[in-house]
Amino acid sequence: MARRFSELTFTDSVRDAQRRYGSREQNLGFETSDDHRDRITVREAQFIAERDSFYLASHGTEADGRPGWPYVQHRGGPKGFLRVIDEKTLGFADFRGNVQYLSAGNIVADPRVSLFLMDYAKRRRLKIWARARIVEAADDPALIASIGTPGYPAQIERAVIFDVEAVDWNCPQHITPRFTAEQVQPLLDEIEQLKAKLAAFEGQPVVQH
Ligand SMILES: Cc1cc2nc3c(=O)[nH]c(=O)nc-3n(C[C@H](O)[C@H](O)[C@H](O)COP(=O)(O)O)c2cc1C
């Protein structure tokens, strides 16, 4: 029994590092936990639905099977574009981009990926490990239609489906709060209203009490 992410990530060299730096005992807790965190619960689903981007890590594989370099790409779209299909499945519409197809090519050779989702404003971050598979638009138009966002200006080339293996939340340390234009807009509107009110007072005598 273990928290699923530790089964995926605590390799021998990671355990050695934990011993070397004195945190092995602390990390044993993850390996004996009954809280497996191997699926999307309501908490993760709500967080994912609010995201308009995530980072996708895959890695290259050479023709002889040797592991290649890690690769991270930013994926963006309308809020909620990473869909929760069910508690073990996520998916998103892959838009036409720079046509390098690094993630798409990596996934075919080794489906193991990491997703990293940030809420900078609330200083929260979610890690997801999954096996990815590609569904070409021509092969399943119904899936593509269900996973896309009508009216969003991008050409969908394929769906990327993630079979979820593990999830884990991180603490907020060292996350600088950042706000989107959408989040800041109400404050800008309020500033404009206050400026207009102030302008109405301009030129009027100051009342001394
Ligand atoms: C015209 C165009 C040019 C792009 N150029 C770049 C680029 O130079 N570098 C980059 O990281 N992403 C670029 N992007 C965004 C990527 O194409 C997009 O994130 C895509 O999903 C990358 O997938 P991949 O990294 O898995 O190949 C571009 C997108 C478009 C539409």
Side-chain angles (χ1 to χ4, degrees), residues 71 73-75 94-104:
Y71 177 70
Q73 179 60 277
H74 168 275
R75 297 289 165 150
D94 193 16
F95 304 136
R96 185 172 178 80
N98 61 3
V99 298
Q100 291 178 6
Y101 300 117
L102 293 174
S103 308

Side-chain angles (χ1 to χ4, degrees), residues 162-202:
F162 299 114
D163 297 315
V164 174
E165 290 273 346
V167 304
D168 192 44
W169 291 89
N170 272 179
C171 74
Q173 267 198 54
H174 309 299
I175 302 174
T176 303
R178 290 185 171 86
F179 301 91
T180 64
E182 188 188 348
Q183 288 164 336
V184 167
Q185 194 56 50
L187 295 174
L188 297 177
D189 292 345
E190 198 178 336
I191 289 169
E192 286 309 312
Q193 286 164 11
L194 291 171
K195 276 176 160 174
K197 279 186 187 165
L198 204 57
F201 284 110
E202 265 176 21

